[in-house]
Amino acid sequence: MTGTKLRRWAWIHKWSSLVCTVFMLLLCVTGLPLIFHHEIGHLLGTEIEAKEMPAHTPRISMDRVMEIALAQHPDKVGMFASQEPDDDRIWFVTLATTPTSEVDMKQVAVDARTGEVLGQPPLSSGFMYIMFSLHVNLFAGLAGMLFLGFMGILLLVAIVSGVVLYGPFMKKLEFGTVRAERSNRLKWLDLHNLLGIVTLSWLLVVGATGVINTWADLLVKYWQFDQMAEMVAPYKGKPALTELGSLQKAVDAAITLEPDMKMGFIAFPGTSFTSPHHYGIFMRGTEALTSRLFKPVLVDATTGEVTDSRTLPWYLTGLLLSQPLHFGDYGGRPMQIMWAILDLISIVVLGSGLYLWIVRRKTNEARMEKLIQAHQLET
């Protein structure tokens, strides 16, 4: 590699790193508690937990679940009902003034076996809400998500350019060498290079999946415009429903259609995941990987009959697979711990890069000041 090419790659690495470093540090810091959000919820006492009962305890009907949830907020209507992938004992029912409301939403946790109200988790307050909002969109909605996506792209550019520079700059040193006896700047430069190359694969995975996740709203909107529009086309122009039919009947129809899948979440008529005339029953697989993937089943909200169902397109499949990989949700506690360690190392890499730039800038300024003084003395 010629000197000119090296200088170009160094310039790319320097400025792509500088522009994104502060935001990447923020994402690493806020992402750390999100890896352990269930555990932190238990410690803070905000995690909703179901009572231990025999595994085959009968479930109450979904119509009854909705009656119980709506009784807590009679002035609201159903938006969504969901369950955790690994726990079907609790229904989390989201309510709002209208199916398309984005403010003043309430959530009611209902025991799927007894009908007991287990709590009402806050949707827009608390420590984890702050961490999640900062990590996802900086409290700036879609604009914030896209901005962080651009920062993620710069991170990927910084990683690739760093790899290109690593060989030429480290070819005279053995791998893992840290010149601790030299200046602080050289010591931190060696640590920065070593930790950066060690966490290379992880940073690429987390950076790439993070960028994909920032496109979530746009991908869902495209799916609505494309496939969802086709699925509900026969109902176009029909008058809005004044009364909904049995939710349990709709759920039964979806289960009959997909007996080898389990419930994921339910979207009520008028929400963004269905039409004003359908219950959207989103089924999920039963394996570790397929449990992250959904298959929508549209059920007529009046008759309870299935009107359409199709596999999600590749771009939504990629999005759904990237989300748990980004937060280390695939491999249980061992993967969570590994993700947390790599996250901490990444904080050191980013922080050391910022430190090196500040030190070098001060050194260059000091040199420039000496040259100016020398020139003044000569004149």
Side-chain angles (χ1 to χ4, degrees):
M1 184 175 289
T2 64
T4 301
K5 288 183 178 179
L6 275 176
R7 283 190 289 272
R8 287 174 181 171
W9 279 109
W11 186 90
I12 292 171
H13 183 70
K14 172 186 174 180
W15 289 107
S16 60
S17 301
L18 281 176
V19 172
C20 74
T21 291
V22 172
F23 296 100
M24 290 301 108
L25 277 170
L26 173 66
L27 294 181
C28 285
V29 171
T30 56
L32 194 57
L34 294 177
I35 296 173
F36 301 102
H37 64 282
H38 285 302
E39 291 79 2
I40 293 174
H42 285 297
L43 290 174
L44 296 178
T46 57
E47 189 77 3
I48 302 295
E49 299 183 29
K51 297 177 181 178
E52 292 296 332
M53 299 178 69
H56 300 292
T57 302
R59 267 56 173 168
I60 62 174
S61 75
M62 285 305 303
D63 293 322
R64 180 61 183 147
V65 168
M66 289 307 300
E67 287 177 8
I68 295 167
L70 288 168
Q72 307 302 309
H73 301 280
D75 59 328
K76 299 190 181 299
V77 297
M79 290 186 74
F80 303 102
S82 62
Q83 295 178 321
E84 292 289 343
D86 55 352
D87 191 351
D88 64 353
R89 299 173 300 171
I90 304 173
W91 279 105
F92 293 92
V93 181
T94 304
L95 309 170
T97 306
T98 69
T100 57
S101 295
E102 296 183 358
V103 296
D104 195 27
M105 294 184 291
K106 304 293 183 181
Q107 191 172 76
V108 182
V110 180
D111 192 306
R113 304 154 302 176
T114 66
E116 178 186 359
V117 175
L118 301 175
Q120 298 191 40
L123 297 178
S124 57
S125 63
F127 173 73
M128 294 308 298
Y129 167 75
I130 294 173
M131 293 296 101
F132 182 79
S133 297
L134 284 172
H135 192 85
V136 171
N137 60 22
L138 301 175
F139 288 98
L142 179 59
M145 291 180 69
L146 295 178
F147 175 78
L148 289 178
F150 178 64
M151 293 298 105
I153 292 173
L154 288 181
L155 172 66
L156 297 178
V157 172
I159 293 171
V160 172
S161 58
V163 171
V164 172
L165 294 171
Y166 182 81
F169 278 97
M170 298 296 291
K171 64 182 179 182
K172 295 182 180 180
L173 297 173
E174 292 185 6
F175 179 79
T177 298
V178 177
R179 292 166 286 184
E181 72 284 354
R182 303 287 294 275
S183 67
N184 279 337
R185 180 177 175 276
L186 273 178
K187 180 178 66 177
W188 277 106
L189 177 62
D190 290 342
L191 279 172
H192 178 80
N193 290 333
L194 172 61
L195 296 177
I197 208 68
V198 167
T199 57
L200 170 66
S201 296
W202 183 80
L203 281 170
L204 281 172
V205 169
V206 173
T209 54
V211 171
I212 293 171
N213 288 338
T214 62
W215 301 335
D217 286 359
L218 296 178
L219 293 177
V220 169
K221 282 181 169 58
Y222 179 73
W223 173 73
Q224 294 166 345
F225 173 79
D226 180 29
Q227 296 204 9
M228 178 58 73
E230 291 181 6
M231 296 170 74
V232 302
Y235 288 76
K236 187 176 182 180
K238 287 191 175 183
L241 298 179
T242 57
E243 186 176 349
L244 300 179
S246 169
L247 177 57
Q248 184 60 52
K249 186 177 179 181
V251 169
D252 291 340
I255 294 174
T256 300
L257 181 69
E258 299 291 348
D260 296 327
M261 303 182 79
K262 60 181 182 180
M263 293 288 301
F265 72 94
I266 300 168
F268 284 78
T271 57
S272 57
F273 287 87
T274 184
S275 81
H277 303 89
H278 292 86
Y279 288 118
I281 315 294
F282 286 75
M283 309 296 287
R284 67 165 85 238
T286 56
E287 303 297 328
L289 184 63
T290 59
S291 66
R292 308 291 178 172
L293 301 177
F294 294 104
K295 184 175 183 179
V297 179
L298 295 188
V299 182
D300 189 299
T302 301
T303 66
E305 297 178 355
V306 174
T307 63
D308 204 340
S309 177
R310 59 183 69 181
T311 304
L312 290 178
W314 64 270
Y315 51 87
L316 284 187
T317 298
L319 172 66
L320 292 172
L321 291 177
S322 72
Q323 288 175 340
L325 185 59
H326 184 74
F327 291 108
D329 286 347
Y330 275 126
R333 187 60 55 81
M335 191 168 181
Q336 285 179 304
I337 294 173
M338 182 175 70
W339 245 235
I341 292 172
L342 291 168
D343 187 280
L344 290 171
I345 294 175
S346 298
I347 291 175
V348 176
V349 173
L350 292 165
S352 61
L354 193 58
Y355 164 78
L356 290 169
W357 177 75
I358 293 172
V359 170
R360 185 170 183 177
R361 184 179 180 184
K362 288 182 177 179
T363 302
N364 290 339
E365 288 177 353
R367 288 175 180 172
M368 181 60 68
E369 183 63 28
K370 288 181 179 179
L371 288 173
I372 292 172
Q373 291 176 357
H375 177 71
Q376 290 175 340
L377 288 173
E378 290 176 359
T379 57

